[in-house]
Amino acid sequence: MSENSTSPRPRVEPESSLKPDSSSTRTSTSELAKAAVSGWLGTAMEFMDFQLYSLAAAIVFNKIFFPDVSPLIGLIAAMATYGVGYVARLVGAVYFGRMGDRIGRKRVLFLTIALMGASTTLIGVLPTYGMIGIWAPILLVALRLVQGFGAGAEIAGASVMLAEYAPAKRRGLISSLVSLGTNSGTLAASGLWALLVSTLPNDQLLSWGWRVPFLASFLVMLFAVWIRRSLRESPVFEHRADVVDGIALSRSEMTARTKDQREDQPEGILERALHQKKGKAFLIALGLRFGQAGNSGLVQTFLVGYLATVLLADKTIGTASIMYGSLLGFATVPFVGWLGDKFGRRRLYMVLSSLTILFAVPMMLMITSGNPALITLGMIIGLNLGVLSLFAMESVTMAEFFGARTRFTQLALAKEIGGILTTAIGPVLAATLTAVTGQWWPLAAMLIGYSAVTLIAAAVGPEVRGRDLVRLEDAV
């Protein structure tokens, strides 16, 4: 899928006939609904996989895949096996992102959901260490790599697809529905595990019960694959000026095409895309990603453990707070998407980031108060204000920032690189700072820092609400 491929190509239309037409990208209500369900299911499966594995790693995997080591080392090994998926995500973002920009969104999204679903299901039929020895954890790592490879482009592709389907005036609201998949997947996985742990004795949970959630994901995959098989290609991709017979022109083909243009003609669509300097839009998008991803790592990952191990609060408070906050998110996410359509992306990003900065210290005071009601309220507000609201804005804003020619690739990389720099590293940094200082203020400082990066990125970036997504060049 190289950008510089020089293989023979079929006819190329005159550039005058390759101009984008926003009106031609309109879709029927049924097609739009199908795209929304497709994006929601894909994101739900990604976060269901995330939660299924993290809970399994904490509850059973250290015992059935790493039984010959101490419980602590087994837990570390199980979590490390989970971590290798992040490495594969970045590779998947590059590989599938470039493919999606080259041959279309639909084909890639079919592959990513199939890879994710198949690998998750196969984890449910893996033999344990007691059956095949060291090959059990090796196979587990292999499946995690495949799972991460597909997941690296799934949420980015779903975001691109839905944004390119949605009418400009409702793009924020409709694109935000992808974000609801996070709540759906997390709640579904948590509910399955809670049911198993509460109903099965430990020996049955270790022998066969742990397999049930992974095998159940097969049903979600089947439905998602069925939806995506019948989904039409993105109307924006179909109407791109650089797409001929369903495949994007390579850079060399575009260069050759622009040489045929007369010197006295104004700069054309393809030439503008070729000559635009890349990087500024990506850096701004990466800054926008920092707030959501960084705050997510602190609120949804670190603070849950911090409450139980450092503050010695009841272990159910943190998990219950995240569950209640996720339920509230089903109202928060579409509401914020609607606000983005009404008042603009840039202004809303700045407001949400500023409010998160102002709430950081009060939130930590509530969480360290020892009062269960205040702890729960602080976590719920923090999750919806600093994480889910920004997530609702993220997908549509990034899609509008990037040009159609590299939208899939750049969006996927911004999400994955931002996630590695914040969600993966942030909790480790938070644990180190709180251990060294013995105080809560470093956590507030990190929340403020992450949100400040997003505030600055929004301030220096342009307003992109309603931008024509068929344009090949980035917004800046």
Side-chain angles (χ1 to χ4, degrees):
M1 301 300 169
S2 172
E3 174 90 344
N4 296 314
S5 171
T6 57
S7 56
R9 294 294 306 280
R11 58 180 175 79
V12 178
E13 301 292 344
E15 190 163 331
S16 59
S17 69
L18 294 176
K19 294 181 180 179
D21 176 8
S22 299
S23 64
S24 66
T25 63
R26 293 173 183 168
T27 56
S28 67
T29 301
S30 61
E31 287 288 343
L32 181 59
K34 196 180 295 182
V37 172
S38 168
W40 167 69
L41 280 174
T43 309
M45 173 163 280
E46 178 180 345
F47 279 80
M48 183 176 178
D49 293 347
F50 174 93
Q51 192 72 356
L52 282 179
Y53 190 93
S54 60
L55 290 172
I59 298 171
V60 299
F61 278 2
N62 59 320
K63 300 171 185 176
I64 61 178
F65 287 104
F66 308 95
D68 287 350
V69 295
S70 68
L72 178 59
I73 298 299
L75 179 59
I76 293 173
M79 290 297 181
T81 303
Y82 167 75
V84 301
Y86 276 97
V87 178
R89 288 180 70 99
L90 188 57
V91 178
V94 175
Y95 180 80
F96 286 118
R98 288 173 62 84
M99 183 186 294
D101 285 326
R102 177 76 166 161
I103 66 172
R105 313 340 186 174
K106 175 184 174 179
R107 300 180 195 178
V108 170
L109 285 173
F110 182 83
L111 290 174
T112 56
I113 199 74
L115 281 174
M116 286 168 49
S119 56
T120 302
T121 302
L122 288 174
I123 288 176
V125 298
L126 274 181
T128 63
Y129 188 92
M131 298 175 181
I132 61 171
I134 192 63
W135 282 104
I138 290 175
L139 290 174
L140 182 62
V141 170
L143 289 176
R144 280 295 299 157
L145 287 171
V146 174
Q147 192 181 58
F149 185 59
E154 169 57 40
I155 194 168
S159 299
V160 167
M161 189 71 152
L162 194 50
E164 291 183 344
Y165 255 93
K169 291 184 178 180
R170 292 188 293 152
R171 191 180 290 152
L173 172 61
I174 293 171
S175 296
S176 72
L177 299 180
V178 172
S179 307
L180 291 181
T182 64
N183 297 7
S184 304
T186 299
L187 289 172
S190 300
L192 279 171
W193 270 107
L195 181 64
L196 290 171
V197 170
S198 62
T199 58
L200 292 179
N202 193 58
D203 59 331
Q204 292 185 27
L205 183 66
L206 292 176
S207 63
W208 61 267
W210 67 271
R211 301 181 184 275
V212 173
F214 294 97
L215 296 175
S217 70
F218 182 71
L219 299 176
V220 180
M221 181 194 71
L222 284 181
F223 186 44
V225 166
W226 176 73
I227 288 285
R228 289 187 177 179
R229 278 182 61 88
S230 59
L231 185 65
R232 186 167 68 88
E233 179 56 81
S234 157
V236 167
F237 182 84
E238 290 180 335
H239 289 89
R240 271 170 49 182
D242 64 330
V243 170
V244 178
D245 292 340
I247 301 177
L249 297 171
S250 69
R251 188 173 185 85
S252 61
E253 290 169 332
M254 289 176 65
T255 302
R257 179 69 187 93
T258 59
K259 287 180 180 179
D260 295 334
Q261 185 178 9
R262 295 200 314 267
E263 292 184 2
D264 60 343
Q265 286 183 317
E267 187 180 41
I269 297 168
L270 301 183
E271 192 170 0
R272 287 198 301 272
L274 283 172
H275 291 168
Q276 185 193 30
K277 293 182 179 179
K278 294 287 185 181
K280 188 174 181 180
F282 180 82
L283 290 176
I284 294 174
L286 190 61
L288 296 178
R289 173 72 168 150
F290 254 67
Q292 190 278 328
N295 295 342
S296 175
L298 289 177
V299 175
Q300 293 181 273
T301 302
F302 180 77
L303 283 179
V304 174
Y306 182 76
L307 278 168
T309 59
V310 178
L311 301 182
L312 302 179
D314 189 305
K315 292 182 178 180
T316 62
I317 293 178
T319 53
S321 298
I322 296 299
M323 184 182 70
Y324 297 145
S326 296
L327 289 171
L328 180 60
F330 282 99
T332 300
V333 166
F335 178 64
V336 171
W338 175 79
L339 288 177
D341 285 333
K342 187 173 180 63
F343 298 107
R345 323 297 186 212
R346 181 173 178 268
R347 183 185 305 176
L348 192 56
Y349 251 117
M350 294 175 70
V351 169
L352 291 171
S353 299
S354 298
L355 290 175
T356 304
I357 290 171
L358 293 174
F359 185 63
V361 171
M363 183 182 81
M364 289 309 305
L365 289 174
M366 295 169 75
I367 288 173
T368 57
S369 68
N371 185 314
L374 285 177
I375 293 172
T376 302
L377 182 61
M379 292 282 283
I380 290 174
I381 296 175
L383 177 63
N384 279 269
L385 177 62
V387 180
L388 297 181
S389 292
L390 293 179
F391 202 179
M393 291 295 298
E394 184 176 284
S395 297
V396 65
T397 306
M398 285 189 181
E400 290 173 324
F401 255 71
F402 300 128
R405 183 166 173 80
T406 58
R407 178 172 294 128
F408 198 149
T409 304
Q410 291 199 81
L411 200 155
L413 282 174
K415 281 184 174 288
E416 295 309 317
I417 292 174
I420 289 172
L421 293 176
T422 55
T423 308
I425 297 176
V428 178
L429 178 60
T432 303
L433 291 175
T434 52
V436 171
T437 64
Q439 302 292 325
W440 56 262
W441 63 261
L443 303 179
M446 290 181 68
L447 288 167
I448 292 171
Y450 287 139
S451 302
V453 172
T454 293
L455 175 61
I456 294 169
V460 302
E463 175 56 64
V464 291
R465 174 181 53 172
R467 185 171 185 261
D468 186 356
L469 296 187
V470 182
R471 296 181 63 175
L472 299 183
E473 69 274 14
D474 296 341
V476 289

PDB file of all heavy atoms in Angstrom, residues 91-120:
ATOM      1  N   VAL A  91       1.518  -0.395  15.534  1.00  0.00           N
ATOM      2  CA  VAL A  91       1.804  -1.002  14.230  1.00  0.00           C
ATOM      3  C   VAL A  91       0.516  -1.109  13.413  1.00  0.00           C
ATOM      4  O   VAL A  91       0.484  -0.799  12.211  1.00  0.00           O
ATOM      5  CB  VAL A  91       2.448  -2.388  14.399  1.00  0.00           C
ATOM      6  CG1 VAL A  91       2.712  -3.037  13.044  1.00  0.00           C
ATOM      7  CG2 VAL A  91       3.748  -2.283  15.192  1.00  0.00           C
ATOM      8  N   GLY A  92      -0.561  -1.525  14.068  1.00  0.00           N
ATOM      9  CA  GLY A  92      -1.847  -1.639  13.384  1.00  0.00           C
ATOM     10  C   GLY A  92      -2.367  -0.294  12.903  1.00  0.00           C
ATOM     11  O   GLY A  92      -2.977  -0.195  11.834  1.00  0.00           O
ATOM     12  N   ALA A  93      -2.125   0.760  13.690  1.00  0.00           N
ATOM     13  CA  ALA A  93      -2.561   2.100  13.304  1.00  0.00           C
ATOM     14  C   ALA A  93      -1.913   2.522  11.996  1.00  0.00           C
ATOM     15  O   ALA A  93      -2.570   3.081  11.105  1.00  0.00           O
ATOM     16  CB  ALA A  93      -2.235   3.101  14.409  1.00  0.00           C
ATOM     17  N   VAL A  94      -0.608   2.251  11.866  1.00  0.00           N
ATOM     18  CA  VAL A  94       0.108   2.616  10.641  1.00  0.00           C
ATOM     19  C   VAL A  94      -0.351   1.756   9.468  1.00  0.00           C
ATOM     20  O   VAL A  94      -0.690   2.265   8.392  1.00  0.00           O
ATOM     21  CB  VAL A  94       1.634   2.476  10.844  1.00  0.00           C
ATOM     22  CG1 VAL A  94       2.373   2.738   9.536  1.00  0.00           C
ATOM     23  CG2 VAL A  94       2.121   3.419  11.929  1.00  0.00           C
ATOM     24  N   TYR A  95      -0.366   0.450   9.670  1.00  0.00           N
ATOM     25  CA  TYR A  95      -0.665  -0.475   8.576  1.00  0.00           C
ATOM     26  C   TYR A  95      -2.100  -0.294   8.056  1.00  0.00           C
ATOM     27  O   TYR A  95      -2.316  -0.088   6.852  1.00  0.00           O
ATOM     28  CB  TYR A  95      -0.459  -1.909   9.046  1.00  0.00           C
ATOM     29  CG  TYR A  95      -0.735  -2.950   7.981  1.00  0.00           C
ATOM     30  CD1 TYR A  95       0.216  -3.244   7.006  1.00  0.00           C
ATOM     31  CD2 TYR A  95      -1.946  -3.634   7.938  1.00  0.00           C
ATOM     32  CE1 TYR A  95      -0.037  -4.191   6.018  1.00  0.00           C
ATOM     33  CE2 TYR A  95      -2.208  -4.582   6.967  1.00  0.00           C
ATOM     34  CZ  TYR A  95      -1.249  -4.855   6.010  1.00  0.00           C
ATOM     35  OH  TYR A  95      -1.512  -5.782   5.040  1.00  0.00           O
ATOM     36  N   PHE A  96      -3.067  -0.379   8.962  1.00  0.00           N
ATOM     37  CA  PHE A  96      -4.455  -0.298   8.522  1.00  0.00           C
ATOM     38  C   PHE A  96      -4.859   1.131   8.186  1.00  0.00           C
ATOM     39  O   PHE A  96      -5.755   1.350   7.359  1.00  0.00           O
ATOM     40  CB  PHE A  96      -5.381  -0.870   9.594  1.00  0.00           C
ATOM     41  CG  PHE A  96      -5.348  -2.365   9.683  1.00  0.00           C
ATOM     42  CD1 PHE A  96      -4.927  -2.998  10.844  1.00  0.00           C
ATOM     43  CD2 PHE A  96      -5.727  -3.149   8.607  1.00  0.00           C
ATOM     44  CE1 PHE A  96      -4.889  -4.380  10.924  1.00  0.00           C
ATOM     45  CE2 PHE A  96      -5.700  -4.535   8.679  1.00  0.00           C
ATOM     46  CZ  PHE A  96      -5.272  -5.149   9.845  1.00  0.00           C
ATOM     47  N   GLY A  97      -4.227   2.119   8.832  1.00  0.00           N
ATOM     48  CA  GLY A  97      -4.529   3.503   8.499  1.00  0.00           C
ATOM     49  C   GLY A  97      -4.176   3.814   7.055  1.00  0.00           C
ATOM     50  O   GLY A  97      -4.974   4.392   6.304  1.00  0.00           O
ATOM     51  N   ARG A  98      -2.977   3.413   6.642  1.00  0.00           N
ATOM     52  CA  ARG A  98      -2.549   3.629   5.251  1.00  0.00           C
ATOM     53  C   ARG A  98      -3.434   2.846   4.281  1.00  0.00           C
ATOM     54  O   ARG A  98      -3.782   3.335   3.200  1.00  0.00           O
ATOM     55  CB  ARG A  98      -1.086   3.221   5.096  1.00  0.00           C
ATOM     56  CG  ARG A  98      -0.113   4.192   5.756  1.00  0.00           C
ATOM     57  CD  ARG A  98       1.304   3.666   5.727  1.00  0.00           C
ATOM     58  NE  ARG A  98       1.801   3.491   4.371  1.00  0.00           N
ATOM     59  CZ  ARG A  98       2.335   4.453   3.628  1.00  0.00           C
ATOM     60  NH1 ARG A  98       2.450   5.670   4.112  1.00  0.00           N
ATOM     61  NH2 ARG A  98       2.784   4.212   2.406  1.00  0.00           N
ATOM     62  N   MET A  99      -3.797   1.637   4.663  1.00  0.00           N
ATOM     63  CA  MET A  99      -4.667   0.830   3.811  1.00  0.00           C
ATOM     64  C   MET A  99      -6.038   1.489   3.663  1.00  0.00           C
ATOM     65  O   MET A  99      -6.615   1.541   2.566  1.00  0.00           O
ATOM     66  CB  MET A  99      -4.821  -0.578   4.391  1.00  0.00           C
ATOM     67  CG  MET A  99      -5.648  -1.513   3.524  1.00  0.00           C
ATOM     68  SD  MET A  99      -5.952  -3.121   4.300  1.00  0.00           S
ATOM     69  CE  MET A  99      -4.285  -3.790   4.363  1.00  0.00           C
ATOM     70  N   GLY A 100      -6.578   2.005   4.774  1.00  0.00           N
ATOM     71  CA  GLY A 100      -7.888   2.646   4.733  1.00  0.00           C
ATOM     72  C   GLY A 100      -7.907   3.901   3.894  1.00  0.00           C
ATOM     73  O   GLY A 100      -8.910   4.205   3.232  1.00  0.00           O
ATOM     74  N   ASP A 101      -6.817   4.640   3.889  1.00  0.00           N
ATOM     75  CA  ASP A 101      -6.726   5.829   3.051  1.00  0.00           C
ATOM     76  C   ASP A 101      -6.526   5.471   1.582  1.00  0.00           C
ATOM     77  O   ASP A 101      -6.854   6.249   0.695  1.00  0.00           O
ATOM     78  CB  ASP A 101      -5.560   6.720   3.514  1.00  0.00           C
ATOM     79  CG  ASP A 101      -5.869   7.479   4.793  1.00  0.00           C
ATOM     80  OD1 ASP A 101      -7.041   7.858   4.977  1.00  0.00           O
ATOM     81  OD2 ASP A 101      -4.952   7.671   5.609  1.00  0.00           O
ATOM     82  N   ARG A 102      -6.001   4.285   1.339  1.00  0.00           N
ATOM     83  CA  ARG A 102      -5.665   3.863  -0.025  1.00  0.00           C
ATOM     84  C   ARG A 102      -6.822   3.133  -0.718  1.00  0.00           C
ATOM     85  O   ARG A 102      -7.154   3.437  -1.864  1.00  0.00           O
ATOM     86  CB  ARG A 102      -4.428   2.945   0.039  1.00  0.00           C
ATOM     87  CG  ARG A 102      -3.971   2.361  -1.271  1.00  0.00           C
ATOM     88  CD  ARG A 102      -3.252   3.351  -2.135  1.00  0.00           C
ATOM     89  NE  ARG A 102      -2.539   2.679  -3.221  1.00  0.00           N
ATOM     90  CZ  ARG A 102      -2.127   3.293  -4.314  1.00  0.00           C
ATOM     91  NH1 ARG A 102      -2.337   4.580  -4.455  1.00  0.00           N
ATOM     92  NH2 ARG A 102      -1.492   2.637  -5.261  1.00  0.00           N
ATOM     93  N   ILE A 103      -7.437   2.176  -0.048  1.00  0.00           N
ATOM     94  CA  ILE A 103      -8.446   1.341  -0.711  1.00  0.00           C
ATOM     95  C   ILE A 103      -9.847   1.495  -0.124  1.00  0.00           C
ATOM     96  O   ILE A 103     -10.783   0.853  -0.584  1.00  0.00           O
ATOM     97  CB  ILE A 103      -8.042  -0.148  -0.684  1.00  0.00           C
ATOM     98  CG1 ILE A 103      -8.034  -0.681   0.757  1.00  0.00           C
ATOM     99  CG2 ILE A 103      -6.700  -0.357  -1.352  1.00  0.00           C
ATOM    100  CD1 ILE A 103      -7.841  -2.181   0.841  1.00  0.00           C
ATOM    101  N   GLY A 104      -9.995   2.302   0.911  1.00  0.00           N
ATOM    102  CA  GLY A 104     -11.327   2.538   1.453  1.00  0.00           C
ATOM    103  C   GLY A 104     -11.475   2.138   2.905  1.00  0.00           C
ATOM    104  O   GLY A 104     -10.758   1.275   3.411  1.00  0.00           O
ATOM    105  N   ARG A 105     -12.426   2.786   3.563  1.00  0.00           N
ATOM    106  CA  ARG A 105     -12.649   2.557   5.001  1.00  0.00           C
ATOM    107  C   ARG A 105     -13.332   1.208   5.267  1.00  0.00           C
ATOM    108  O   ARG A 105     -12.998   0.507   6.216  1.00  0.00           O
ATOM    109  CB  ARG A 105     -13.521   3.646   5.605  1.00  0.00           C
ATOM    110  CG  ARG A 105     -13.271   5.115   5.335  1.00  0.00           C
ATOM    111  CD  ARG A 105     -11.987   5.586   4.865  1.00  0.00           C
ATOM    112  NE  ARG A 105     -11.935   7.055   4.804  1.00  0.00           N
ATOM    113  CZ  ARG A 105     -10.834   7.703   4.525  1.00  0.00           C
ATOM    114  NH1 ARG A 105      -9.720   7.036   4.259  1.00  0.00           N
ATOM    115  NH2 ARG A 105     -10.835   9.022   4.495  1.00  0.00           N
ATOM    116  N   LYS A 106     -14.312   0.864   4.423  1.00  0.00           N
ATOM    117  CA  LYS A 106     -15.136  -0.315   4.678  1.00  0.00           C
ATOM    118  C   LYS A 106     -14.312  -1.598   4.755  1.00  0.00           C
ATOM    119  O   LYS A 106     -14.484  -2.392   5.679  1.00  0.00           O
ATOM    120  CB  LYS A 106     -16.198  -0.443   3.582  1.00  0.00           C
ATOM    121  CG  LYS A 106     -17.032  -1.712   3.698  1.00  0.00           C
ATOM    122  CD  LYS A 106     -18.009  -1.853   2.548  1.00  0.00           C
ATOM    123  CE  LYS A 106     -18.721  -3.201   2.620  1.00  0.00           C
ATOM    124  NZ  LYS A 106     -19.695  -3.364   1.518  1.00  0.00           N
ATOM    125  N   ARG A 107     -13.427  -1.810   3.791  1.00  0.00           N
ATOM    126  CA  ARG A 107     -12.653  -3.048   3.766  1.00  0.00           C
ATOM    127  C   ARG A 107     -11.783  -3.193   5.009  1.00  0.00           C
ATOM    128  O   ARG A 107     -11.653  -4.276   5.587  1.00  0.00           O
ATOM    129  CB  ARG A 107     -11.764  -3.085   2.529  1.00  0.00           C
ATOM    130  CG  ARG A 107     -12.508  -3.029   1.209  1.00  0.00           C
ATOM    131  CD  ARG A 107     -11.530  -3.077   0.033  1.00  0.00           C
ATOM    132  NE  ARG A 107     -12.160  -2.673  -1.212  1.00  0.00           N
ATOM    133  CZ  ARG A 107     -11.524  -2.592  -2.364  1.00  0.00           C
ATOM    134  NH1 ARG A 107     -10.235  -2.886  -2.434  1.00  0.00           N
ATOM    135  NH2 ARG A 107     -12.157  -2.215  -3.452  1.00  0.00           N
ATOM    136  N   VAL A 108     -11.170  -2.092   5.424  1.00  0.00           N
ATOM    137  CA  VAL A 108     -10.291  -2.134   6.590  1.00  0.00           C
ATOM    138  C   VAL A 108     -11.081  -2.396   7.865  1.00  0.00           C
ATOM    139  O   VAL A 108     -10.671  -3.194   8.714  1.00  0.00           O
ATOM    140  CB  VAL A 108      -9.501  -0.814   6.701  1.00  0.00           C
ATOM    141  CG1 VAL A 108      -8.772  -0.731   8.036  1.00  0.00           C
ATOM    142  CG2 VAL A 108      -8.507  -0.709   5.559  1.00  0.00           C
ATOM    143  N   LEU A 109     -12.228  -1.754   8.007  1.00  0.00           N
ATOM    144  CA  LEU A 109     -13.032  -1.951   9.214  1.00  0.00           C
ATOM    145  C   LEU A 109     -13.564  -3.380   9.300  1.00  0.00           C
ATOM    146  O   LEU A 109     -13.775  -3.903  10.399  1.00  0.00           O
ATOM    147  CB  LEU A 109     -14.182  -0.944   9.244  1.00  0.00           C
ATOM    148  CG  LEU A 109     -13.760   0.475   9.615  1.00  0.00           C
ATOM    149  CD1 LEU A 109     -14.926   1.440   9.458  1.00  0.00           C
ATOM    150  CD2 LEU A 109     -13.226   0.524  11.039  1.00  0.00           C
ATOM    151  N   PHE A 110     -13.784  -4.008   8.172  1.00  0.00           N
ATOM    152  CA  PHE A 110     -14.176  -5.422   8.180  1.00  0.00           C
ATOM    153  C   PHE A 110     -13.025  -6.276   8.723  1.00  0.00           C
ATOM    154  O   PHE A 110     -13.234  -7.184   9.530  1.00  0.00           O
ATOM    155  CB  PHE A 110     -14.559  -5.866   6.768  1.00  0.00           C
ATOM    156  CG  PHE A 110     -15.016  -7.284   6.696  1.00  0.00           C
ATOM    157  CD1 PHE A 110     -16.316  -7.630   7.003  1.00  0.00           C
ATOM    158  CD2 PHE A 110     -14.137  -8.305   6.326  1.00  0.00           C
ATOM    159  CE1 PHE A 110     -16.741  -8.952   6.942  1.00  0.00           C
ATOM    160  CE2 PHE A 110     -14.549  -9.622   6.271  1.00  0.00           C
ATOM    161  CZ  PHE A 110     -15.858  -9.946   6.576  1.00  0.00           C
ATOM    162  N   LEU A 111     -11.804  -5.980   8.301  1.00  0.00           N
ATOM    163  CA  LEU A 111     -10.632  -6.735   8.757  1.00  0.00           C
ATOM    164  C   LEU A 111     -10.353  -6.510  10.245  1.00  0.00           C
ATOM    165  O   LEU A 111     -10.055  -7.455  10.975  1.00  0.00           O
ATOM    166  CB  LEU A 111      -9.404  -6.334   7.938  1.00  0.00           C
ATOM    167  CG  LEU A 111      -9.377  -6.775   6.468  1.00  0.00           C
ATOM    168  CD1 LEU A 111      -8.167  -6.171   5.769  1.00  0.00           C
ATOM    169  CD2 LEU A 111      -9.339  -8.294   6.366  1.00  0.00           C
ATOM    170  N   THR A 112     -10.431  -5.257  10.701  1.00  0.00           N
ATOM    171  CA  THR A 112     -10.096  -4.983  12.098  1.00  0.00           C
ATOM    172  C   THR A 112     -11.074  -5.648  13.061  1.00  0.00           C
ATOM    173  O   THR A 112     -10.663  -6.207  14.076  1.00  0.00           O
ATOM    174  CB  THR A 112     -10.056  -3.466  12.357  1.00  0.00           C
ATOM    175  OG1 THR A 112     -11.307  -2.871  11.993  1.00  0.00           O
ATOM    176  CG2 THR A 112      -8.925  -2.812  11.578  1.00  0.00           C
ATOM    177  N   ILE A 113     -12.361  -5.591  12.755  1.00  0.00           N
ATOM    178  CA  ILE A 113     -13.340  -6.207  13.661  1.00  0.00           C
ATOM    179  C   ILE A 113     -13.189  -7.721  13.659  1.00  0.00           C
ATOM    180  O   ILE A 113     -13.342  -8.382  14.702  1.00  0.00           O
ATOM    181  CB  ILE A 113     -14.786  -5.801  13.276  1.00  0.00           C
ATOM    182  CG1 ILE A 113     -15.740  -6.026  14.456  1.00  0.00           C
ATOM    183  CG2 ILE A 113     -15.277  -6.542  12.060  1.00  0.00           C
ATOM    184  CD1 ILE A 113     -15.619  -5.039  15.543  1.00  0.00           C
ATOM    185  N   ALA A 114     -12.850  -8.298  12.500  1.00  0.00           N
ATOM    186  CA  ALA A 114     -12.655  -9.746  12.427  1.00  0.00           C
ATOM    187  C   ALA A 114     -11.418 -10.173  13.216  1.00  0.00           C
ATOM    188  O   ALA A 114     -11.451 -11.183  13.945  1.00  0.00           O
ATOM    189  CB  ALA A 114     -12.526 -10.179  10.966  1.00  0.00           C
ATOM    190  N   LEU A 115     -10.329  -9.416  13.108  1.00  0.00           N
ATOM    191  CA  LEU A 115      -9.115  -9.731  13.875  1.00  0.00           C
ATOM    192  C   LEU A 115      -9.352  -9.622  15.369  1.00  0.00           C
ATOM    193  O   LEU A 115      -8.962 -10.503  16.147  1.00  0.00           O
ATOM    194  CB  LEU A 115      -7.983  -8.791  13.462  1.00  0.00           C
ATOM    195  CG  LEU A 115      -7.236  -9.101  12.159  1.00  0.00           C
ATOM    196  CD1 LEU A 115      -6.253  -7.988  11.845  1.00  0.00           C
ATOM    197  CD2 LEU A 115      -6.507 -10.435  12.262  1.00  0.00           C
ATOM    198  N   MET A 116      -9.978  -8.547  15.786  1.00  0.00           N
ATOM    199  CA  MET A 116     -10.251  -8.363  17.210  1.00  0.00           C
ATOM    200  C   MET A 116     -11.154  -9.461  17.750  1.00  0.00           C
ATOM    201  O   MET A 116     -10.875 -10.063  18.792  1.00  0.00           O
ATOM    202  CB  MET A 116     -10.910  -6.998  17.442  1.00  0.00           C
ATOM    203  CG  MET A 116      -9.975  -5.810  17.314  1.00  0.00           C
ATOM    204  SD  MET A 116     -10.894  -4.242  17.269  1.00  0.00           S
ATOM    205  CE  MET A 116     -11.983  -4.428  18.664  1.00  0.00           C
ATOM    206  N   GLY A 117     -12.241  -9.711  17.049  1.00  0.00           N
ATOM    207  CA  GLY A 117     -13.197 -10.702  17.527  1.00  0.00           C
ATOM    208  C   GLY A 117     -12.636 -12.106  17.544  1.00  0.00           C
ATOM    209  O   GLY A 117     -12.842 -12.868  18.504  1.00  0.00           O
ATOM    210  N   ALA A 118     -11.906 -12.486  16.493  1.00  0.00           N
ATOM    211  CA  ALA A 118     -11.352 -13.835  16.420  1.00  0.00           C
ATOM    212  C   ALA A 118     -10.310 -14.068  17.512  1.00  0.00           C
ATOM    213  O   ALA A 118     -10.304 -15.128  18.165  1.00  0.00           O
ATOM    214  CB  ALA A 118     -10.727 -14.068  15.040  1.00  0.00           C
ATOM    215  N   SER A 119      -9.429 -13.097  17.729  1.00  0.00           N
ATOM    216  CA  SER A 119      -8.385 -13.279  18.746  1.00  0.00           C
ATOM    217  C   SER A 119      -8.978 -13.333  20.146  1.00  0.00           C
ATOM    218  O   SER A 119      -8.544 -14.135  20.986  1.00  0.00           O
ATOM    219  CB  SER A 119      -7.351 -12.154  18.650  1.00  0.00           C
ATOM    220  OG  SER A 119      -7.965 -10.887  18.756  1.00  0.00           O
ATOM    221  N   THR A 120      -9.972 -12.500  20.422  1.00  0.00           N
ATOM    222  CA  THR A 120     -10.619 -12.525  21.738  1.00  0.00           C
ATOM    223  C   THR A 120     -11.319 -13.857  21.969  1.00  0.00           C
ATOM    224  O   THR A 120     -11.224 -14.443  23.054  1.00  0.00           O
ATOM    225  CB  THR A 120     -11.634 -11.375  21.855  1.00  0.00           C
ATOM    226  OG1 THR A 120     -10.961 -10.139  21.656  1.00  0.00           O
ATOM    227  CG2 THR A 120     -12.275 -11.360  23.235  1.00  0.00           C
TER     228      THR A 120
END
